[in-house]
Amino acid sequence: MNAIESVSDFCPYCGEAIEILVDASGGDDEYIEDCEVCCRPMTIALSLDGDDSINIRIYAENEAF
């Protein structure tokens, strides 16, 4: 598995398709990144499952997880 992966998803605010580079070398993580289209802050939750597949969830900054 590469430590840096490109992941495609949608912005929870504007709905536009976005591409995010995630670094999975540190394992599970959560951080805030601005949408490249509307510039609003999205929370990105990164997790690895048993076979080192990357799972992400992107949600609005104040949305309950």
Side-chain angles (χ1 to χ4, degrees), residues 3-58:
I4 305 230
E5 296 281 335
S6 176
V7 178
S8 297
D9 210 322
F10 297 92
C11 172
Y13 295 103
C14 67
E16 290 291 323
I18 55 173
E19 191 162 322
I20 301 170
L21 291 176
V22 294
D23 182 358
S25 64
D28 295 352
D29 196 8
E30 187 172 305
Y31 58 94
I32 295 174
E33 185 171 317
D34 290 343
C35 171
E36 60 192 37
V37 178
C38 70
C39 299
R40 297 201 52 198
M42 310 172 292
T43 301
I44 300 169
L46 169 69
S47 63
L48 302 176
D49 59 17
D51 63 356
D52 289 336
S53 294
I54 298 173
N55 298 306
I56 66 164
R57 180 170 186 268
I58 300 174

